Amino acid sequence: MKEKVKNKVIAIGFAFILFIVLISNVIKKDEEISISERRKLAKFPTINFENLSSGKVAENIDKYTVDQFILRDNFRSIKSFWSNYIYRKKDNNGLFLIDESIYKIEYPLKEENVKKTCYKINNVCEKYLNNNMRIYYSIIPDKNYYLSSDYLKIDVNEMQEIVSKELKNMEYIDITSCLDLQDFYKTDLHWKQENLRNVVNKIENKMNLKITSNNNYNISSLGDFYGSYYGQLGMKIEPDIISVLTNDVIENSVTYNYETSKKG
């Protein structure tokens, strides 16, 4: 008798939870964007004969329910925590965490995309640049490049071999040795502005530009920075601190909009 009562209580409790979740999702107002993921969220699909016959309605409703599910970010955080610390998975949807720094798997190298990019660069140079101009290029390494060989990552040397064959009359500036993991944000793929002196010096020397090493800059902190990888991973880790370099020249600079003929 007690076993039957217990089973009924469990069944009723489970049904009640499902009912509450259903009602909560029905009355919840749809959100336009996900700030943490930096993307637009799916909207309820238009239902018509064309969409029904193509099967798009079912597919789009599935995307809609996933995107608009109540407490979605909380569940994402739980999933990431579970995958990383309990299951000890290598990655969670292509993202992985090492020493409180987030990385994204960018692999394998898509050779055709590299060639398409080179084709567009060649077109721009042929159309807009003088044939007598010296043209330089660099390949910016992803921060995964500086991880050990235990992790999947794009081979920058292989990419350079492809690019050198595709680009016409351009000189390569190798900046890979000018960076390391400390020069990238923990929660994002970008460099830290205040750490780029070695890169700047390498480019200046290679292009015979005026050396700016003696220029004085003030480093101004703008506070906490939650990069794009932070929202995609969905785990709570310490944010970066974003800083910018500034001086009197930068502070007194003025922008001019040629379309509106206004200064900014």
Side-chain angles (χ1 to χ4, degrees):
M1 184 67 180
K2 289 182 179 181
E3 187 68 21
K4 289 184 178 180
V5 172
K6 183 181 74 171
N7 290 339
K8 285 183 179 180
V9 170
I10 293 174
I12 293 172
F14 182 69
F16 179 74
I17 292 173
L18 290 179
F19 177 76
I20 292 298
V21 171
L22 173 63
I23 295 300
S24 299
N25 278 293
V26 169
I27 64 176
K28 171 183 171 289
K29 184 179 179 181
D30 289 349
E31 297 180 9
E32 292 288 330
I33 61 171
S34 169
I35 295 177
S36 62
E37 297 175 87
R38 301 184 181 186
R39 69 177 181 86
K40 291 184 177 181
L41 297 175
K43 297 181 179 180
F44 192 81
T46 301
I47 299 178
N48 53 37
F49 178 77
E50 181 182 352
N51 289 340
L52 285 171
S53 59
S54 66
K56 289 183 178 180
V57 169
E59 179 183 345
N60 291 335
I61 285 179
D62 183 60
K63 292 179 180 178
Y64 167 79
T65 53
V66 170
D67 274 7
Q68 300 294 345
F69 197 85
I70 191 170
L71 300 177
R72 181 172 177 275
D73 284 343
N74 300 80
F75 285 113
R76 288 180 61 246
S77 296
I78 294 171
K79 177 181 178 293
S80 293
F81 177 86
W82 201 265
S83 297
N84 190 71
Y85 294 112
I86 306 301
Y87 288 144
R88 310 297 295 177
K89 293 177 66 176
K90 281 287 187 180
D91 70 278
N92 179 36
N93 295 327
L95 294 160
F96 56 98
L97 190 66
I98 302 175
D99 298 329
E100 295 300 299
S101 186
I102 308 171
Y103 300 84
K104 185 174 184 178
I105 296 175
E106 300 287 354
Y107 187 87
L109 176 64
K110 297 178 181 178
E111 184 174 337
E112 285 305 311
N113 288 349
V114 176
K115 290 182 177 180
K116 287 179 182 178
T117 300
C118 292
Y119 174 78
K120 293 178 181 178
I121 293 173
N122 285 328
N123 281 345
V124 170
C125 293
E126 291 172 4
K127 187 173 182 180
Y128 297 105
L129 302 183
N130 190 313
N131 290 332
N132 296 322
M133 295 179 66
R134 295 182 65 182
I135 304 173
Y136 302 83
Y137 72 94
S138 284
I139 295 176
I140 302 174
D142 183 78
K143 67 178 181 179
N144 295 24
Y145 174 80
Y146 298 98
L147 291 174
S148 70
S149 58
D150 296 333
Y151 299 92
L152 292 173
K153 54 187 176 181
I154 290 175
D155 187 341
V156 175
N157 295 324
E158 181 185 355
M159 183 186 294
Q160 163 55 13
E161 289 180 7
I162 299 170
V163 172
S164 63
K165 294 177 183 178
E166 297 295 322
L167 291 183
K168 302 175 183 177
N169 303 317
M170 299 184 198
E171 190 173 346
Y172 176 55
I173 302 177
D174 185 359
I175 61 171
T176 53
S177 62
C178 301
L179 295 163
D180 59 37
L181 286 177
Q182 303 305 315
D183 299 320
F184 294 84
Y185 288 108
K186 296 184 300 180
T187 62
D188 200 80
L189 70 163
H190 292 100
W191 306 344
K192 296 177 182 177
Q193 188 182 41
E194 66 272 22
N195 287 16
L196 299 185
R197 174 49 57 192
N198 290 336
V199 174
V200 173
N201 287 345
K202 180 70 176 286
I203 293 174
E204 287 175 339
N205 289 324
K206 192 71 175 180
M207 297 179 66
N208 295 318
L209 298 176
K210 178 182 177 181
I211 304 301
T212 62
S213 299
N214 296 326
N215 290 1
N216 293 321
Y217 295 93
N218 298 317
I219 300 178
S220 299
S221 174
L222 301 182
D224 291 346
F225 172 59
Y226 297 88
S228 60
Y229 290 168
Y230 181 91
Q232 293 175 29
L233 183 64
M235 288 184 63
K236 303 299 182 183
I237 65 173
E238 288 295 317
D240 289 291
I241 301 297
I242 189 168
S243 299
V244 296
L245 301 181
T246 185
N247 57 21
D248 291 339
V249 175
I250 295 174
E251 292 294 333
N252 294 320
S253 296
V254 176
T255 60
Y256 182 81
N257 189 325
Y258 277 92
E259 293 182 347
T260 62
S261 300
K262 293 181 179 179
K263 294 181 179 180

